[in-house]
Coordinates of all heavy atoms in Angstrom, one line a residue:
M5 N 0.8 -1.2 0.0 CA 0.0 0.0 0.0 C 0.9 1.2 0.0 O 1.9 1.3 0.7 CB -0.9 0.0 1.2 CG -1.9 1.1 1.2 SD -3.1 1.1 2.4 CE -2.4 0.5 3.9
T6 N 0.5 2.2 -0.8 CA 1.3 3.5 -0.9 C 0.9 4.4 0.2 O -0.3 4.7 0.6 CB 1.0 4.2 -2.2 OG1 1.4 3.3 -3.3 CG2 1.8 5.4 -2.3
R7 N 2.1 4.9 1.0 CA 1.7 5.8 2.1 C 1.9 7.2 1.6 O 2.9 7.6 1.0 CB 2.7 5.4 3.2 CG 2.3 6.1 4.5 CD 3.3 5.6 5.6 NE 4.6 6.0 5.5 CZ 5.1 7.2 6.0 NH1 4.3 8.0 6.7 NH2 6.3 7.4 6.0
V8 N 1.0 8.1 1.9 CA 1.1 9.5 1.6 C 1.6 10.2 2.7 O 1.1 10.1 3.9 CB -0.3 10.1 1.2 CG1 -0.2 11.6 0.9 CG2 -0.8 9.4 -0.1
S9 N 2.7 11.0 2.5 CA 3.3 11.8 3.6 C 3.0 13.3 3.3 O 3.7 13.9 2.4 CB 4.8 11.5 3.6 OG 5.5 12.5 4.4
P10 N 2.1 13.9 4.0 CA 1.9 15.3 3.9 C 3.2 16.1 4.2 O 3.4 17.2 3.6 CB 0.8 15.6 4.9 CG 0.1 14.3 5.3 CD 1.2 13.3 5.0
E11 N 4.0 15.6 5.1 CA 5.2 16.3 5.4 C 6.2 16.3 4.2 O 6.8 17.4 3.9 CB 5.9 15.5 6.5 CG 7.0 16.3 7.2 CD 7.8 15.4 8.2 OE1 7.9 14.2 8.0 OE2 8.4 16.1 9.1
L12 N 6.3 15.2 3.6 CA 7.1 15.2 2.3 C 6.6 16.2 1.2 O 7.3 16.9 0.7 CB 7.3 13.7 1.7 CG 8.0 13.7 0.4 CD1 9.4 14.1 0.6 CD2 7.9 12.3 -0.2
A13 N 5.3 16.1 1.0 CA 4.7 17.1 0.1 C 5.0 18.5 0.5 O 5.3 19.3 -0.4 CB 3.2 16.9 0.0
A14 N 4.9 18.8 1.7 CA 5.2 20.2 2.2 C 6.7 20.6 2.0 O 7.0 21.7 1.6 CB 4.8 20.3 3.6
R15 N 7.5 19.6 2.3 CA 8.9 19.8 2.1 C 9.3 20.0 0.7 O 10.1 20.9 0.4 CB 9.8 18.7 2.7 CG 9.9 18.7 4.2 CD 10.6 17.4 4.6 NE 10.7 17.3 6.0 CZ 11.5 17.9 6.9 NH1 12.4 18.6 6.3 NH2 11.4 17.7 8.1
M16 N 8.7 19.3 -0.2 CA 8.9 19.5 -1.7 C 8.6 20.9 -2.1 O 9.2 21.4 -2.9 CB 8.3 18.4 -2.5 CG 8.9 16.9 -2.3 SD 10.6 16.8 -2.1 CE 11.2 17.4 -3.6
K17 N 7.4 21.3 -1.6 CA 7.0 22.7 -2.0 C 8.0 23.7 -1.6 O 8.1 24.7 -2.3 CB 5.7 23.0 -1.2 CG 4.4 22.7 -2.1 CD 3.2 23.3 -1.5 CE 2.0 22.7 -2.2 NZ 0.8 22.6 -1.4
K18 N 8.6 23.5 -0.5 CA 9.5 24.5 0.0 C 11.1 24.2 -0.4 O 11.9 25.1 -0.2 CB 9.6 24.5 1.5 CG 8.3 25.3 2.0 CD 8.5 25.5 3.5 CE 7.6 24.7 4.3 NZ 7.8 24.6 5.8
A19 N 11.3 23.0 -1.0 CA 12.7 22.6 -1.3 C 13.4 23.5 -2.2 O 12.8 23.8 -3.3 CB 12.7 21.2 -1.8
E20 N 14.5 24.0 -1.9 CA 15.3 24.9 -2.7 C 15.6 24.2 -4.0 O 16.1 23.1 -4.1 CB 16.5 25.3 -2.0 CG 17.2 26.5 -2.6 CD 18.5 26.9 -1.7 OE1 18.5 26.6 -0.6 OE2 19.4 27.5 -2.3
G21 N 15.4 24.9 -5.1 CA 15.7 24.4 -6.5 C 14.7 23.4 -7.0 O 15.0 22.9 -8.1
F22 N 13.6 23.0 -6.3 CA 12.7 22.1 -6.8 C 11.5 22.7 -7.4 O 10.8 23.4 -6.6 CB 12.4 21.0 -5.7 CG 11.6 19.9 -6.3 CD1 12.2 18.7 -6.7 CD2 10.1 19.9 -6.4 CE1 11.4 17.7 -7.2 CE2 9.4 18.9 -6.9 CZ 10.1 17.8 -7.3
D23 N 11.2 22.5 -8.7 CA 10.0 23.1 -9.3 C 9.6 22.2 -10.5 O 10.4 22.3 -11.5 CB 10.2 24.5 -9.7 CG 9.0 25.0 -10.2 OD1 7.9 24.4 -10.3 OD2 9.0 26.3 -10.6
A24 N 8.6 21.4 -10.4 CA 8.2 20.6 -11.5 C 6.7 20.9 -11.9 O 6.1 20.1 -12.5 CB 8.4 19.1 -11.1
N25 N 6.3 22.0 -11.5 CA 4.8 22.3 -11.7 C 4.5 22.4 -13.2 O 3.4 22.2 -13.6 CB 4.4 23.6 -11.0 CG 4.3 23.4 -9.5 OD1 3.8 22.4 -9.0 ND2 5.0 24.3 -8.7
A26 N 5.5 22.8 -14.0 CA 5.2 23.1 -15.5 C 5.2 21.7 -16.2 O 4.8 21.7 -17.4 CB 6.4 23.9 -16.1
C27 N 5.6 20.6 -15.6 CA 5.6 19.3 -16.3 C 4.1 18.9 -16.6 O 3.2 19.0 -15.9 CB 6.2 18.2 -15.4 SG 6.1 16.5 -16.0
F28 N 4.0 18.5 -17.9 CA 2.7 18.0 -18.3 C 2.7 16.6 -18.8 O 1.8 16.2 -19.6 CB 2.0 19.0 -19.4 CG 2.8 19.0 -20.7 CD1 2.4 18.4 -21.8 CD2 4.0 19.8 -20.8 CE1 3.1 18.4 -23.0 CE2 4.7 19.9 -22.0 CZ 4.2 19.2 -23.1
H29 N 3.7 15.9 -18.3 CA 3.8 14.4 -18.5 C 3.8 14.0 -20.1 O 3.1 13.1 -20.4 CB 2.7 13.7 -17.8 CG 2.8 14.0 -16.2 ND1 3.5 13.2 -15.4 CD2 2.3 15.0 -15.5 CE1 3.5 13.6 -14.2 NE2 2.7 14.7 -14.3
C30 N 4.6 14.8 -20.8 CA 4.6 14.4 -22.3 C 5.4 13.2 -22.5 O 5.3 12.5 -23.5 CB 5.2 15.5 -23.0 SG 6.9 15.9 -22.6
G31 N 6.3 12.8 -21.6 CA 7.2 11.6 -21.8 C 8.4 11.8 -22.5 O 9.2 10.8 -22.7
T32 N 8.8 12.9 -23.0 CA 9.9 13.2 -23.8 C 11.2 12.8 -23.0 O 12.1 12.2 -23.4 CB 10.1 14.7 -24.2 OG1 8.9 15.0 -25.0 CG2 11.3 14.9 -25.0
C33 N 11.2 13.2 -21.7 CA 12.4 13.0 -20.8 C 12.7 11.4 -20.7 O 13.8 11.0 -20.9 CB 12.2 13.6 -19.5 SG 10.6 13.2 -18.7
T34 N 11.6 10.7 -20.4 CA 11.9 9.2 -20.2 C 12.2 8.5 -21.5 O 13.0 7.6 -21.5 CB 10.6 8.5 -19.7 OG1 9.5 8.9 -20.4 CG2 10.4 8.9 -18.2
A35 N 11.8 9.1 -22.7 CA 12.1 8.5 -24.0 C 13.6 8.7 -24.3 O 14.2 7.9 -25.0 CB 11.1 9.1 -25.1
L36 N 14.1 9.8 -23.8 CA 15.5 10.3 -24.3 C 16.5 9.8 -23.3 O 17.8 9.9 -23.5 CB 15.6 11.8 -24.4 CG 14.8 12.3 -25.6 CD1 14.9 13.9 -25.5 CD2 15.3 11.8 -26.9
C37 N 16.2 9.5 -22.0 CA 17.2 9.2 -21.0 C 18.1 8.0 -21.4 O 17.6 6.9 -21.8 CB 16.5 8.7 -19.6 SG 17.7 8.3 -18.4
P38 N 19.4 8.2 -21.4 CA 20.4 7.2 -22.0 C 20.4 6.0 -21.0 O 20.9 5.0 -21.4 CB 21.7 7.9 -22.0 CG 21.6 9.1 -21.1 CD 20.1 9.5 -21.2
L39 N 20.0 6.2 -19.7 CA 19.9 5.1 -18.8 C 18.7 4.3 -19.0 O 18.5 3.2 -18.3 CB 20.2 5.6 -17.4 CG 21.6 6.2 -17.1 CD1 21.6 6.7 -15.6 CD2 22.7 5.3 -17.4
G40 N 17.8 4.7 -19.8 CA 16.6 4.0 -20.0 C 15.6 4.0 -18.7 O 14.8 3.1 -18.6
Y41 N 15.8 5.0 -17.9 CA 14.9 5.1 -16.7 C 13.4 5.3 -17.1 O 13.2 6.3 -17.9 CB 15.4 6.2 -15.8 CG 16.6 5.9 -15.1 CD1 17.4 7.0 -14.6 CD2 17.0 4.7 -14.8 CE1 18.6 6.7 -13.9 CE2 18.2 4.3 -14.1 CZ 19.0 5.4 -13.6 OH 20.1 5.1 -12.9
K42 N 12.6 4.6 -16.7 CA 11.2 4.8 -17.0 C 10.5 5.7 -16.0 O 9.4 6.2 -16.2 CB 10.5 3.4 -17.0 CG 11.0 2.5 -18.1 CD 10.8 3.2 -19.5 CE 11.4 2.3 -20.7 NZ 11.8 3.1 -21.8
I43 N 11.1 5.8 -14.8 CA 10.5 6.6 -13.8 C 11.0 8.0 -13.7 O 10.3 9.0 -13.5 CB 10.5 5.9 -12.5 CG1 9.8 6.8 -11.4 CG2 12.0 5.8 -12.0 CD1 9.4 6.0 -10.2
L44 N 12.3 8.2 -13.9 CA 12.9 9.5 -13.9 C 12.8 10.2 -15.2 O 13.0 9.6 -16.3 CB 14.4 9.4 -13.6 CG 14.8 9.2 -12.2 CD1 16.3 9.0 -12.1 CD2 14.5 10.4 -11.3
P45 N 12.5 11.5 -15.2 CA 12.2 12.2 -14.0 C 10.7 12.4 -13.9 O 10.2 12.8 -12.8 CB 12.8 13.7 -14.3 CG 13.0 13.6 -15.8 CD 12.9 12.2 -16.4
R46 N 9.9 12.3 -14.9 CA 8.5 12.8 -14.8 C 7.6 12.2 -13.7 O 7.0 12.9 -12.9 CB 7.8 12.7 -16.1 CG 7.6 11.3 -16.6 CD 6.9 11.3 -17.9 NE 6.9 10.0 -18.4 CZ 5.8 9.5 -19.1 NH1 4.7 10.1 -19.2 NH2 5.9 8.3 -19.6
K47 N 7.7 10.9 -13.5 CA 6.9 10.2 -12.6 C 7.4 10.4 -11.1 O 6.7 10.6 -10.2 CB 6.8 8.7 -12.9 CG 5.8 8.0 -12.0 CD 5.4 6.6 -12.5 CE 4.3 6.0 -11.7 NZ 4.6 6.2 -10.3
L48 N 8.7 10.4 -11.1 CA 9.3 10.6 -9.8 C 9.0 12.0 -9.2 O 8.6 12.1 -8.0 CB 10.8 10.6 -9.9 CG 11.6 11.0 -8.7 CD1 11.5 9.8 -7.6 CD2 13.1 11.1 -9.1
F49 N 9.0 13.1 -10.0 CA 8.7 14.4 -9.6 C 7.2 14.4 -9.1 O 6.9 15.1 -8.0 CB 8.9 15.5 -10.6 CG 10.3 15.6 -11.0 CD1 10.7 16.1 -12.2 CD2 11.4 15.1 -10.2 CE1 12.0 16.2 -12.6 CE2 12.7 15.2 -10.6 CZ 13.0 15.8 -11.8
H50 N 6.3 13.8 -9.8 CA 4.9 13.7 -9.5 C 4.8 13.1 -8.2 O 4.1 13.6 -7.3 CB 4.2 13.0 -10.6 CG 2.8 12.9 -10.5 ND1 2.1 11.7 -10.2 CD2 1.8 13.8 -10.6 CE1 0.9 12.0 -10.1 NE2 0.6 13.2 -10.3
D51 N 5.4 11.9 -7.9 CA 5.3 11.2 -6.7 C 5.8 12.0 -5.5 O 5.2 12.1 -4.4 CB 6.2 9.9 -6.7 CG 5.5 8.9 -7.6 OD1 4.4 9.0 -8.1 OD2 6.2 7.9 -8.0
A52 N 7.0 12.7 -5.7 CA 7.5 13.6 -4.7 C 6.5 14.7 -4.3 O 6.3 15.0 -3.1 CB 8.8 14.1 -5.1
M53 N 6.0 15.4 -5.3 CA 5.1 16.5 -5.0 C 3.8 16.0 -4.3 O 3.2 16.8 -3.5 CB 4.7 17.2 -6.3 CG 5.9 18.0 -6.8 SD 5.4 19.3 -8.1 CE 4.9 18.1 -9.5
L54 N 3.4 14.8 -4.6 CA 2.2 14.3 -3.9 C 2.5 13.7 -2.5 O 1.6 13.3 -1.8 CB 1.5 13.2 -4.8 CG 0.8 13.7 -6.0 CD1 0.3 12.5 -6.8 CD2 -0.2 14.7 -5.8
G55 N 3.8 13.6 -2.2 CA 4.2 13.1 -0.9 C 4.1 11.6 -0.8 O 4.0 11.0 0.2
L56 N 4.3 10.9 -2.0 CA 4.2 9.4 -2.0 C 5.6 8.9 -1.6 O 6.4 8.5 -2.5 CB 3.8 8.9 -3.4 CG 2.4 9.5 -3.8 CD1 2.1 9.0 -5.2 CD2 1.3 9.1 -2.8
E57 N 5.8 8.8 -0.3 CA 7.2 8.6 0.3 C 7.8 7.2 -0.1 O 8.9 7.1 -0.5 CB 7.1 8.8 1.7 CG 8.6 8.8 2.4 CD 8.5 9.2 3.8 OE1 7.5 9.8 4.3 OE2 9.5 8.9 4.5
D58 N 6.9 6.2 0.0 CA 7.5 4.8 -0.3 C 7.9 4.8 -1.8 O 8.9 4.1 -2.1 CB 6.3 3.8 -0.1 CG 5.9 3.8 1.3 OD1 6.6 4.3 2.2 OD2 4.8 3.2 1.6
R59 N 7.2 5.4 -2.6 CA 7.6 5.3 -4.1 C 9.0 6.1 -4.3 O 9.8 5.6 -5.1 CB 6.5 5.9 -5.0 CG 5.4 5.1 -5.1 CD 4.4 5.5 -6.1 NE 3.1 5.0 -6.1 CZ 2.1 5.3 -6.8 NH1 2.2 6.2 -7.7 NH2 0.9 4.7 -6.7
V60 N 9.0 7.2 -3.6 CA 10.3 8.0 -3.7 C 11.5 7.2 -3.2 O 12.5 7.0 -3.8 CB 10.2 9.4 -3.1 CG1 11.6 10.1 -3.0 CG2 9.2 10.2 -3.8
R61 N 11.2 6.6 -2.0 CA 12.3 5.7 -1.4 C 12.6 4.6 -2.2 O 13.9 4.2 -2.3 CB 11.8 5.2 0.0 CG 11.9 6.2 1.2 CD 11.4 5.7 2.4 NE 11.4 6.6 3.5 CZ 12.3 6.5 4.4 NH1 13.3 5.7 4.3 NH2 12.4 7.4 5.4
A62 N 11.7 4.0 -2.9 CA 11.9 2.9 -3.7 C 12.8 3.2 -5.0 O 13.4 2.3 -5.5 CB 10.6 2.2 -4.3
N63 N 12.9 4.5 -5.3 CA 13.6 4.9 -6.4 C 14.9 5.7 -6.0 O 15.6 6.2 -6.9 CB 12.8 5.9 -7.3 CG 11.8 5.0 -8.1 OD1 12.2 4.3 -9.1 ND2 10.5 5.1 -7.7
I64 N 15.3 5.5 -4.7 CA 16.6 6.1 -4.4 C 17.8 5.7 -5.2 O 18.6 6.5 -5.7 CB 16.9 5.8 -2.9 CG1 16.0 6.7 -2.1 CG2 18.3 6.1 -2.5 CD1 16.0 6.5 -0.6
P65 N 17.9 4.4 -5.6 CA 19.1 4.0 -6.5 C 19.1 4.8 -7.8 O 20.2 5.2 -8.2 CB 18.9 2.5 -6.7 CG 18.1 2.0 -5.5 CD 17.2 3.2 -5.1
Q66 N 18.0 5.0 -8.4 CA 17.9 5.7 -9.7 C 18.2 7.2 -9.5 O 18.9 7.7 -10.3 CB 16.6 5.4 -10.3 CG 16.3 4.1 -10.9 CD 15.6 3.3 -9.9 OE1 15.8 3.3 -8.8 NE2 14.8 2.3 -10.5
I67 N 17.6 7.7 -8.3 CA 17.9 9.1 -8.1 C 19.4 9.4 -8.0 O 19.9 10.4 -8.5 CB 17.2 9.6 -6.8 CG1 15.7 9.4 -7.0 CG2 17.5 11.0 -6.4 CD1 14.8 9.6 -5.7
F68 N 20.1 8.5 -7.3 CA 21.5 8.7 -7.1 C 22.4 8.3 -8.3 O 23.6 8.6 -8.3 CB 22.0 8.2 -5.8 CG 21.6 9.0 -4.7 CD1 20.4 8.9 -4.0 CD2 22.5 10.0 -4.2 CE1 20.0 9.7 -3.0 CE2 22.1 10.9 -3.1 CZ 20.8 10.7 -2.5
S69 N 21.8 7.5 -9.2 CA 22.7 7.1 -10.4 C 22.4 7.9 -11.6 O 23.1 7.7 -12.7 CB 22.5 5.6 -10.6 OG 21.2 5.3 -10.9
C70 N 21.4 8.8 -11.6 CA 21.2 9.7 -12.7 C 22.5 10.4 -13.0 O 23.2 10.8 -12.2 CB 20.1 10.7 -12.4 SG 20.1 12.2 -13.4
L71 N 22.8 10.5 -14.3 CA 24.2 11.0 -14.7 C 24.1 12.6 -14.8 O 25.2 13.1 -15.0 CB 24.4 10.6 -16.2 CG 24.4 9.0 -16.4 CD1 24.5 8.7 -18.0 CD2 25.6 8.5 -15.7
L72 N 23.0 13.3 -14.6 CA 22.9 14.7 -14.6 C 23.4 15.2 -16.0 O 24.0 16.2 -16.1 CB 23.7 15.4 -13.5 CG 23.2 15.0 -12.1 CD1 24.1 15.7 -11.1 CD2 21.7 15.4 -11.8
C73 N 23.1 14.3 -17.0 CA 23.7 14.6 -18.4 C 22.9 15.8 -19.0 O 23.2 16.3 -20.1 CB 23.6 13.4 -19.3 SG 22.0 12.8 -19.6
R74 N 21.6 16.0 -18.6 CA 20.8 17.1 -19.1 C 20.1 16.7 -20.5 O 19.6 17.6 -21.0 CB 21.5 18.4 -19.1 CG 21.9 18.9 -17.7 CD 22.4 20.3 -17.7 NE 21.4 21.3 -18.0 CZ 21.2 22.0 -19.1 NH1 22.1 21.9 -20.0 NH2 20.2 22.9 -19.2
M75 N 20.2 15.5 -20.9 CA 19.6 15.2 -22.1 C 18.0 15.4 -22.1 O 17.5 15.9 -23.0 CB 19.9 13.7 -22.5 CG 19.2 13.2 -23.8 SD 20.0 13.8 -25.3 CE 21.3 12.5 -25.4
C76 N 17.5 15.0 -21.0 CA 16.1 15.2 -20.8 C 15.8 16.7 -20.7 O 14.8 17.1 -21.3 CB 15.7 14.5 -19.5 SG 16.7 14.9 -18.0
E77 N 16.5 17.4 -19.9 CA 16.3 18.8 -19.6 C 16.4 19.6 -20.9 O 15.5 20.5 -21.2 CB 17.3 19.3 -18.6 CG 17.0 20.7 -18.1 CD 17.9 21.1 -16.9 OE1 18.0 20.2 -16.0 OE2 18.4 22.1 -16.9
A78 N 17.4 19.4 -21.7 CA 17.6 20.1 -22.9 C 16.4 20.0 -23.9 O 16.2 20.8 -24.8 CB 18.9 19.7 -23.6
N79 N 15.7 18.9 -23.8 CA 14.6 18.6 -24.7 C 13.2 18.7 -24.1 O 12.2 18.5 -24.8 CB 14.8 17.3 -25.3 CG 16.0 17.2 -26.2 OD1 15.9 17.7 -27.4 ND2 17.1 16.7 -25.7
C80 N 13.1 19.2 -22.9 CA 11.8 19.3 -22.2 C 11.1 20.5 -22.8 O 11.6 21.6 -22.7 CB 12.0 19.6 -20.7 SG 10.5 19.9 -19.8
P81 N 9.9 20.3 -23.4 CA 9.2 21.4 -24.0 C 8.7 22.5 -23.0 O 8.2 23.5 -23.4 CB 8.0 20.7 -24.7 CG 7.9 19.4 -24.0 CD 9.3 19.0 -23.5
S82 N 8.7 22.1 -21.7 CA 8.2 23.0 -20.7 C 9.3 23.7 -19.9 O 9.0 24.4 -19.0 CB 7.3 22.3 -19.7 OG 5.9 22.2 -20.2
G83 N 10.5 23.4 -20.2 CA 11.6 24.1 -19.6 C 11.7 23.7 -18.1 O 12.2 24.5 -17.3
V84 N 11.4 22.5 -17.7 CA 11.4 22.1 -16.4 C 12.9 21.9 -16.1 O 13.7 21.2 -16.8 CB 10.7 20.7 -16.1 CG1 10.9 20.2 -14.7 CG2 9.2 20.9 -16.4
H85 N 13.4 22.4 -14.9 CA 14.9 22.3 -14.6 C 15.1 20.9 -13.9 O 15.2 20.8 -12.6 CB 15.3 23.4 -13.7 CG 15.2 24.7 -14.4 ND1 15.1 26.0 -13.7 CD2 15.2 25.1 -15.7 CE1 15.0 27.0 -14.6 NE2 15.1 26.4 -15.8
I86 N 15.1 19.9 -14.7 CA 15.1 18.6 -14.3 C 16.3 18.2 -13.3 O 16.2 17.6 -12.3 CB 15.0 17.6 -15.5 CG1 13.7 17.7 -16.2 CG2 15.2 16.1 -15.0 CD1 13.5 17.0 -17.5
T87 N 17.4 18.6 -13.8 CA 18.7 18.2 -13.0 C 18.7 19.0 -11.7 O 19.1 18.4 -10.7 CB 20.0 18.4 -13.8 OG1 20.0 19.7 -14.3 CG2 20.1 17.4 -14.9
D88 N 18.3 20.2 -11.7 CA 18.2 20.9 -10.4 C 17.2 20.2 -9.4 O 17.4 20.1 -8.2 CB 17.6 22.4 -10.6 CG 18.7 23.3 -11.1 OD1 19.9 22.9 -11.0 OD2 18.3 24.4 -11.5
N89 N 16.1 19.7 -10.0 CA 15.1 18.9 -9.2 C 15.8 17.6 -8.7 O 15.6 17.3 -7.5 CB 13.9 18.6 -10.0 CG 13.1 19.7 -10.4 OD1 13.2 20.9 -9.8 ND2 12.0 19.5 -11.2
I90 N 16.5 17.0 -9.4 CA 17.2 15.7 -9.0 C 18.2 16.1 -7.9 O 18.3 15.4 -6.9 CB 17.9 15.0 -10.2 CG1 16.7 14.4 -11.1 CG2 18.7 13.8 -9.7 CD1 17.2 13.9 -12.4
R91 N 19.0 17.1 -8.1 CA 19.9 17.5 -7.1 C 19.2 17.9 -5.7 O 19.6 17.6 -4.6 CB 20.7 18.8 -7.5 CG 21.8 18.4 -8.5 CD 22.8 19.7 -8.7 NE 23.7 19.4 -9.7 CZ 23.5 19.7 -11.0 NH1 22.5 20.4 -11.4 NH2 24.5 19.4 -11.9
S92 N 18.1 18.6 -5.9 CA 17.3 18.9 -4.7 C 16.8 17.7 -4.0 O 16.8 17.6 -2.8 CB 16.2 19.8 -5.1 OG 15.3 20.3 -4.1
L93 N 16.3 16.7 -4.8 CA 15.8 15.5 -4.2 C 16.9 14.8 -3.5 O 16.8 14.2 -2.4 CB 15.3 14.6 -5.2 CG 13.8 14.6 -5.5 CD1 13.4 13.7 -6.7 CD2 13.0 14.2 -4.3
R94 N 18.1 14.7 -4.1 CA 19.3 14.0 -3.4 C 19.6 14.7 -2.1 O 19.9 14.0 -1.2 CB 20.5 14.1 -4.4 CG 20.5 13.2 -5.5 CD 21.7 13.3 -6.4 NE 21.6 12.4 -7.6 CZ 22.5 12.4 -8.5 NH1 23.5 13.3 -8.5 NH2 22.4 11.5 -9.5
S95 N 19.6 16.0 -2.1 CA 19.9 16.8 -0.9 C 18.9 16.4 0.2 O 19.2 16.1 1.3 CB 20.0 18.2 -1.2 OG 20.0 19.0 -0.1
L96 N 17.6 16.4 -0.2 CA 16.6 16.1 0.8 C 16.7 14.6 1.4 O 16.6 14.4 2.6 CB 15.2 16.2 0.1 CG 14.0 16.0 1.0 CD1 13.7 17.3 1.8 CD2 12.8 15.6 0.3
I97 N 17.0 13.7 0.5 CA 17.2 12.3 0.8 C 18.4 12.2 1.7 O 18.4 11.4 2.8 CB 17.3 11.4 -0.3 CG1 15.9 11.3 -1.1 CG2 17.7 10.0 0.0 CD1 15.9 10.7 -2.5
N98 N 19.5 12.8 1.4 CA 20.7 12.8 2.2 C 20.4 13.2 3.6 O 20.9 12.6 4.6 CB 21.8 13.6 1.7 CG 22.5 12.9 0.6 OD1 22.6 11.7 0.5 ND2 23.1 13.7 -0.3
R99 N 19.6 14.2 3.8 CA 19.3 14.7 5.1 C 18.2 13.8 5.8 O 18.4 13.4 7.0 CB 18.7 16.2 5.0 CG 19.7 17.2 4.7 CD 19.2 18.6 5.0 NE 18.0 18.9 4.4 CZ 17.9 19.4 3.2 NH1 18.9 19.6 2.4 NH2 16.7 19.6 2.6
Q100 N 17.1 13.5 5.1 CA 16.0 12.8 5.7 C 16.2 11.3 5.9 O 15.8 10.8 6.9 CB 14.7 12.9 4.9 CG 14.2 14.3 4.7 CD 13.8 14.9 6.1 OE1 14.4 15.9 6.6 NE2 12.8 14.3 6.6
V101 N 16.9 10.7 4.9 CA 17.0 9.2 5.0 C 18.4 8.8 5.6 O 18.4 8.0 6.5 CB 16.9 8.6 3.6 CG1 17.0 7.1 3.6 CG2 15.5 9.0 3.1
F102 N 19.4 9.5 5.1 CA 20.8 9.1 5.6 C 21.3 9.9 6.8 O 22.3 9.7 7.3 CB 21.7 9.1 4.4 CG 21.4 8.2 3.3 CD1 21.2 8.7 2.1 CD2 21.2 6.9 3.5 CE1 20.8 7.9 1.0 CE2 20.8 6.0 2.5 CZ 20.7 6.5 1.3
G103 N 20.5 11.0 7.1 CA 20.9 11.8 8.3 C 22.1 12.6 8.0 O 22.8 13.1 9.0
L104 N 22.4 12.9 6.8 CA 23.7 13.8 6.5 C 23.3 15.2 6.6 O 22.1 15.6 6.4 CB 24.2 13.4 5.1 CG 24.7 12.0 5.0 CD1 25.0 11.7 3.5 CD2 25.7 11.6 5.9
K105 N 24.2 16.1 6.9 CA 23.9 17.5 6.9 C 24.0 18.1 5.5 O 24.8 17.7 4.7 CB 25.0 18.2 7.8 CG 24.9 17.7 9.2 CD 23.8 18.4 10.0 CE 23.8 17.8 11.4 NZ 22.6 18.1 12.1
Ligands
SF4_221 S1 10.0 16.4 -20.9 FE1 9.5 18.0 -19.4 S2 7.2 18.2 -19.6 FE2 7.8 16.3 -20.6 S3 7.4 14.7 -19.0 FE3 9.6 15.4 -18.9 S4 9.7 17.0 -17.3 FE4 7.5 16.8 -17.9
SF4_222 S1 19.9 13.9 -16.5 FE1 19.4 11.9 -15.6 S2 17.2 11.5 -16.0 FE2 17.9 13.1 -17.4 S3 18.5 12.0 -19.3 FE3 20.4 12.3 -18.0 S4 20.6 10.3 -16.8 FE4 18.5 10.5 -17.6

């Protein structure tokens, strides 16, 4: 069962550098990702904004192995700052999950 975390949703709203509101789920990013990630970035950002913590946690390996190559970002028709969002998520996970400063 998916657990909704209002706290995570609130943190994502305030997270520095995170903004995926312009995403309209066109799928261009997932089609172009050289790692073939099916979840990053569009579904992941959606899950994070909704506070679906279990889903975000389940994707920690992908979040940290993204190459930050910007192939997705360069071709996003909505200008979503995808790599900034991934960096922001990494920072949040480092603090919340791994207890790093
Ligand atoms: S390419 Fe941009 S608008 Fe399209 S799904 Fe990815 S992040 Fe969203
Ligand atoms: S920045 Fe990450 S998610 Fe985007 S295309 Fe590159 S590896 Fe894939």
Side-chain angles (χ1 to χ4, degrees):
M5 183 170 43
T6 301
R7 192 170 72 87
V8 176
S9 166
E11 190 188 33
L12 174 62
R15 281 179 188 273
M16 294 318 302
K17 259 191 198 154
K18 286 195 252 164
E20 196 176 333
F22 189 92
D23 183 2
N25 288 314
C27 172
F28 63 102
H29 299 271
C30 67
T32 302
C33 50
T34 47
L36 292 176
C37 177
L39 295 180
Y41 288 155
K42 293 301 174 208
I43 184 162
L44 278 175
R46 60 180 176 140
K47 190 166 182 319
L48 175 69
F49 298 159
H50 183 249
D51 290 347
M53 287 193 295
L54 290 178
L56 302 178
E57 190 172 341
D58 295 346
R59 291 192 193 174
V60 173
R61 280 177 182 263
N63 284 288
I64 286 176
Q66 288 92 325
I67 294 167
F68 282 88
S69 57
C70 162
L71 303 169
L72 301 177
C73 66
R74 298 187 71 247
M75 178 76 86
C76 51
E77 186 171 314
N79 291 283
C80 172
S82 273
V84 177
H85 295 157
I86 295 170
T87 52
D88 281 349
N89 287 351
I90 291 171
R91 284 193 184 92
S92 180
L93 265 177
R94 285 179 179 177
S95 170
L96 185 83
I97 289 166
N98 278 335
R99 289 195 306 274
Q100 295 298 115
V101 179
F102 299 122
L104 301 175
K105 298 280 178 194

